[in-house]
């Protein structure tokens, strides 16, 4: 059996966060994690479908790859590009989802016992979720997928997740090539046509953790889950001042330095070589490799990539890329004055994130000056400079240099300052 | 004997601070404190004179009330509205003054021993004060009140305070109704007429603490006095990190949390359920119920009402109402560059407060964004939003939404930031 | 023998730092240090050449002085003004250089053993330095001075420093008065003429520490050297909280107070009566007398004169004069966004300092408001006020009052803030 791991998406909804496949959590990328989990559950023959934008980086991990040529063709395109490898059965898995490790054993067993034509992973939901619901036939097999039904009209409590097993991969490819649709749903149309022609797919209920990683504000949720599952440890190669305080569960890697008066309140991950400086506070956050959380900085409920440098900042509910610096006194607003939910632009459209507390999202290689104020929900594109003393209440495109335009009024000082008697 | 507690003033000089009667110090309002003190000194039959603006709230404490109809008529109006209750003797007390508890016993004894027509409390002052001075006759009885005499021309060292006992309340009411004046001094004219007609009032010298509570900058002085008199305690139901430091006299109430690295330098009051967060500093301040003094915030010589949330702020020499939030990096300036005394607008007029250090005064329900700078002596009206990154050097009316108008200049960044080699 | 200490320069390249002779390091001015070093090495008869701008202050130390009349005439002018005192031999020393103490014994011995006409101190350099190099003749005597040769064409590895011994001072004066040049090099021309006429000057190689103190960014280097040489001590008359942390080498003088949670990372000098307040951080810095390093302030790699007050500031890689205050939240930027070397104006011209990290330089008697941002390399002249919330990216002349011009837009707040349910 082949596993086809679909990793060719361009993470447009995540921008300016880089390709989600390479998002590093606790020292390991999502892609590595997914492949490790598959392998440790017996799925050995894995092909990662990438695109021109990420194929080289996928290869750099040593994974077997295939290139999806037409990236606008979505899942259909991914499978078409892999068609000639799909001679037997196949498990198609999206890299868009984070699951509990147990899902792979569940699927593995279902495949072993499967005497029908395939298995579809079905997340059992307790609350309405705007996804594709499975309609089942009288025998309990999949009858159709109902996309985003009105709340209250869901055909079941099972949401379709892209972990699909096809016993006859070649047949599925045939249906896929024949499918016709004006929308971006050829994959689903192909499945529907198979069902209509009598193929039987098992809906495999799954009650464990699931988080789509689609929008930037999903990142912190994924961190929380992965951290909880991970083994906690404080490296013996970390230098932690006896005047620092660590509360709750933490992971502290090799070479970390925690200075006097610093406080880390778990859950918190501190990556290799990072510095948590004097009197800084890190809480409920992911701090990547070689970051410097500077003096008098708070990092709260945030994700910091690698090489992020802060200094007398407040970074709250934010997603910060790799190689980013903030000047002293610069802060991320993370709460509206009216405390309503915060909107963020996604693919050019404003979208309600449903979050009351949300800071900013930055790409990689960003520099911000001192005393600048970022408004909640703002995105800062990669390779951008943001000047000092600004209020940033709009998204900043990548490769930008942002300045303000304060004009100083300089007049003569009529006070003899030397004569002032100061009162402490 | 009746006690008439005059609480119908509209605290205009205190705005945007709410009605001073309900100002809460150490968990109890001024009104409650005054009534408790009166009762514990044998004054049982107390009527509180309120107005349309506060009568319901006074009643909510369970106090007996009467409504002053014409609030523009000052003390005369208060007594007129209560006239039919004043059948015997009466002690008229203003709610504008804070005294040492001993004043009530002093007055009680004077009343018991009084064989004349009344007693007037007379604050013995050591320095000039711009109030009404008592002129005494040769027998030592009150002869007249001299309002704000030139310094050096004071007729005595006794200042008239409104804690006045009249043996024949009905007679005083008669004189009051007959009094004529073009100014707001019918009460004083009535007393003068009685004296002129041969009534004798004892001037009761009082050497204890007295503080009028008239302007916002009086609040911190009152806090200092009440705190000093109060029994100090740290609740067993407070959670205080072993890494926090408490110096000097403090009162810490139930449910308070003091986090690692926080420092409290007394005199300081921390109300029920308040949080003093990591590395915060509170000194010489009153922190009301359920406040959050956030990470890296200093609160110095300030009064915070209930539910005030701060975060990486400096709040110095300020009076903050209830339900107020400050975004990270927002600070109150509390010292002029030339270190002169600070002016504040009072009833629309600029007034020299005589204070070198003075921050801001806010009403209730205020929200300020991040990195905003409030200039010394500024007032922020209730229910107002103040945006981020602003310099506020003017008073903000209630129900305002204040924004700035920075224009960003966005050009192309010609630097390849990825190539920059950072030096720690 | 006379020693002529040339201290009449006007420190123009150092502005707005005051006269470098009076720069105080570890409680002693450079002038005092130099004279002490000379005296303790047997140079007793010292005359300090000053100018109208500093003669009185030099005298106030009790030093013997002579006034240089024409300050535009440089070293030639200094010696002309002292001519009639120069009857025997003379050691001419500039106050522009900081040496290791050992240099004086070295010179003293060379003078004792000198059977030629003079001795010139020659710094042995390992790397190219843009100064005057000594060309030696075949016997090893000085042949000429080559000013700023192209790198690679230096005539030796010896750089001329102004510590020059002339056995016949009167003869040198003669040559000096006769010298002719269109440039500011009469002194060097006179020496050259003497050499040409057969006088022999020994080049005395010196391998110890040497630092010209010419530009503001030299000050921190000098501090580092003087600190290293100084005896470390913590005064018993300092009050250091048991919750403060001191790491590395420090000097802490009488009357210093270090509050709870403060951290001092050596090398650090804390002058008499200074306060390092709660949770402040001082590292690799010189803090002068009676400074207040306020709550939540970091002072890093900086020189603070006396009476500098900070408060929730970041002062990095900066030189701050005497009697200076910074409002809360005001910071010095010390790193360009592109991390290139920082320029500073020197005598009206932009000059590359060669430093990647450099903050600001202020004169004396400066006041800055809250939340102001100073850009790297900016100079603030003495007796200036800088308002709140500004971005200062240009030099500010002395006696200036700098304001911004934000306009507030105030509209009606349509939100009933009281109804907002806050989430911690």
């Amino acid at each position: 059996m082949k596993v086809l791991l679909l990793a060719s998406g361009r993470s447009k909804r995540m921008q300016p966060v880089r390709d989600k496949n390479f998002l590093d959590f606790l020292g390991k990328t999502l892609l590595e994690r997914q492949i490790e989990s598959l392998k440790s559950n017996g799925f050995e023959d894995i092909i990662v479908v990438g695109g021109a934008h990420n194929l080289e980086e996928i290869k750099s991990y040593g994974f077997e790859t295939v290139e999806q040529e037409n990236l606008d063709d979505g899942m259909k395109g991914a499978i078409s590009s892999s068609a000639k490898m799909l001679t037997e059965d196949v498990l198609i898995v999206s890299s868009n989802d984070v699951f509990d490790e147990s899902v792979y054993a569940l699927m593995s067993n279902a495949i072993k016992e499967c005497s029908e034509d395939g298995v579809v992973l079905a997340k059992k939901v307790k609350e309405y979720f705007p996804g594709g619901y499975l309609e089942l036939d009288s025998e309990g097999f999949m009858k159709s997928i109902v996309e985003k039904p009105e709340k209250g009209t869901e055909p079941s409590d099972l949401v379709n997740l892209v972990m699909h097993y096809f016993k006859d991969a070649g047949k599925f490819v045939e249906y896929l090539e024949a499918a016709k649709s004006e929308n971006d749903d050829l994959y689903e149309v192909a499945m529907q046509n198979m069902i209509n022609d009598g193929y039987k797919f098992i809906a495999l209920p799954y009650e464990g953790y699931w988080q789509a990683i689609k929008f930037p504000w999903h990142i912190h949720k994924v961190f929380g889950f992965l951290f909880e599952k991970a083994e906690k440890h404080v490296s013996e190669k970390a230098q932690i001042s006896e005047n620092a305080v660590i509360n709750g569960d933490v992971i502290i890697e090799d070479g970390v330095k925690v200075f006097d008066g610093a406080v880390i309140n778990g859950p918190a991950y501190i990556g290799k070589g990072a510095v948590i400086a004097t009197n800084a506070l890190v809480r409920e956050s992911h701090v990547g490799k070689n970051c410097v959380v500077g003096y008098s900085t708070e990092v709260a409920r945030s994700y910091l990539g690698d090489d992020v440098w802060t200094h007398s900042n407040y970074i709250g509910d934010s997603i910060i890329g790799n190689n980013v610096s903030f000047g002293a006194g610069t802060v991320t607003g993370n709460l509206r004055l009216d405390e309503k939910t915060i909107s963020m632009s996604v693919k050019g459209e404003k979208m309600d994130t449903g979050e009351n507390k949300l800071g900013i999202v930055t790409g990689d290689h960003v520099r911000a000056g001192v005393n600048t104020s970022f408004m909640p929900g703002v995105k800062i594109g990669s390779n951008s400079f943001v000047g000092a003393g600004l209020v940033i209440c709009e998204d900043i495109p990548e490769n930008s240099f942002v300045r303000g335009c304060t004009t100083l009024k300089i007049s003569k000082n009529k006070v003899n300052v030397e004569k002032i008697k100061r009162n402490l």
Side-chain angles (χ1 to χ4, degrees), chain A:
Chain A
M1 181 188 24
K2 284 270 189 297
V3 177
L4 213 56
L5 182 57
L6 309 185
S8 52
R10 281 162 293 178
S11 302
K12 284 184 183 170
R13 292 183 190 85
M14 286 290 256
Q15 278 173 11
V17 175
R18 64 186 311 235
D19 194 319
K20 59 191 154 195
N21 293 293
F22 310 122
L23 266 177
D24 193 309
F25 289 94
L26 323 181
K28 204 173 278 179
T29 62
L30 283 182
L31 187 64
E32 288 175 291
R33 288 178 175 277
Q34 203 166 15
I35 287 180
E36 274 187 17
S37 295
L38 283 162
K39 290 201 170 167
S40 68
N41 283 280
F43 298 97
E44 291 290 340
D45 190 359
I46 304 166
I47 301 164
V48 184
V49 185
H53 60 290
N54 66 4
L55 202 68
E56 287 313 306
E57 191 161 354
I58 295 171
K59 282 181 182 166
S60 76
Y61 287 90
F63 302 140
E64 192 178 345
T65 59
V66 65
E67 180 174 354
Q68 175 171 350
E69 279 132 43
N70 195 340
L71 292 170
D72 292 333
D73 270 3
M75 291 204 292
K76 189 264 176 189
I79 291 153
S80 292
S81 296
S82 323
K84 56 185 170 202
M85 298 170 177
L86 303 180
T87 48
E88 300 180 63
D89 54 347
V90 66
L91 179 67
I92 296 170
V93 184
S94 162
S95 74
N96 288 346
D97 299 293
V98 177
F99 301 104
D100 189 274
E101 174 95 17
S102 67
V103 79
Y104 300 101
L106 183 78
M107 178 55 79
S108 178
N109 288 335
I111 290 169
K112 277 178 202 144
E113 292 170 12
C114 174
S115 52
E116 280 74 21
D117 301 299
V119 182
V120 169
L121 188 67
K123 168 66 189 167
K124 208 159 180 162
V125 295
K126 284 174 184 155
E127 291 184 358
Y128 178 76
F129 171 85
Y133 281 79
L134 297 184
E135 185 185 13
L136 304 184
D137 65 18
S138 54
E139 290 173 286
F141 294 115
M142 188 175 153
K143 187 174 167 193
S144 74
I145 299 173
V146 182
E147 280 300 327
K148 294 183 192 166
E150 288 277 305
K151 193 174 171 177
T153 69
E154 305 93 314
S156 70
D157 60 352
L158 299 174
V159 170
N160 170 41
L161 298 184
V162 181
M163 187 179 292
H164 293 172
Y165 172 69
F166 294 93
K167 198 171 263 175
D168 185 345
K171 186 58 70 186
F172 179 53
V173 171
E174 265 176 44
Y175 270 88
L176 203 52
E177 299 300 342
K180 285 195 166 60
S181 169
E182 292 185 350
N183 303 321
D184 180 24
D185 61 351
L186 289 169
Y187 184 103
E188 290 79 6
V189 168
M191 283 189 85
Q192 191 64 54
N193 290 342
M194 289 181 83
I195 292 168
N196 296 348
D197 288 353
Y199 290 88
K200 291 205 182 302
F201 296 106
I202 296 165
L204 175 65
Y206 167 62
E207 303 195 29
Y209 180 84
W210 165 64
Q211 174 68 55
I213 180 147
K214 199 165 167 182
F215 302 116
W217 54 94
H218 291 156
I219 291 175
H220 194 260
K221 298 180 205 290
V222 169
F223 162 64
F225 170 71
L226 295 175
F227 184 87
E228 194 190 321
K229 291 289 169 181
E231 200 183 333
K232 311 309 178 285
H233 63 272
V234 174
S235 165
E236 287 185 4
K237 291 178 188 159
Q239 296 172 41
I240 299 173
S241 159
E242 59 182 10
N243 301 303
V245 180
I246 294 173
N247 301 307
D249 282 344
V250 298
I251 298 175
I252 295 183
E253 301 284 19
D254 292 357
V256 165
K257 292 178 186 169
V258 183
F259 290 174
D260 302 304
V263 176
I264 302 175
N265 290 334
Y269 173 82
I270 315 294
K272 280 186 190 172
V275 173
I276 311 302
T278 308
N279 289 343
L281 171 61
V282 174
R283 52 189 178 110
E284 298 168 58
S285 291
H286 178 283
V287 174
K289 281 192 291 291
N290 299 319
C291 284
V292 177
V293 177
Y295 172 75
S296 204
T297 295
E298 178 175 0
V299 176
R301 298 173 305 274
S302 291
Y303 173 95
L304 273 54
D306 298 338
D307 300 295
V308 175
W309 289 16
T310 70
H311 196 157
S312 298
N313 302 117
Y314 173 61
I315 309 290
D317 302 280
S318 293
I319 307 296
I320 310 298
N322 300 303
N323 182 26
V324 174
S325 295
F326 294 95
T330 286
V331 301
T332 59
N334 64 331
L335 188 63
R336 291 167 52 105
L337 294 176
D338 61 10
E339 291 166 40
K340 289 191 177 159
T341 55
I342 291 161
S343 292
M344 190 176 273
S345 66
V346 173
K347 294 175 75 173
E349 301 279 326
K350 277 282 165 196
M351 181 171 163
D352 184 347
T353 66
E355 307 283 335
N356 282 82
K357 286 201 167 180
L358 189 62
I360 67 169
V361 180
T362 83
D364 297 339
H365 317 306
V366 170
R367 298 285 181 274
V370 299
N371 272 341
T372 277
S373 306
F374 291 99
M375 295 297 96
V378 152
K379 291 175 159 189
I380 311 298
S382 292
N383 205 69
S384 286
F385 283 170
V386 179
L390 302 175
V391 177
I392 305 295
C393 40
E394 58 189 284
D395 287 0
I396 302 299
E398 59 181 12
N399 302 312
S400 297
F401 193 163
V402 186
R403 278 166 269 221
C405 34
T406 315
T407 309
L408 301 179
K409 290 196 296 188
I410 306 185
S411 57
K412 188 161 164 46
N413 190 6
K414 290 168 188 156
V415 177
N416 182 342
V417 184
E418 194 170 357
K419 299 276 190 265
I420 296 175
K421 179 83 194 74
R422 291 192 291 189
N423 304 296
L424 187 50

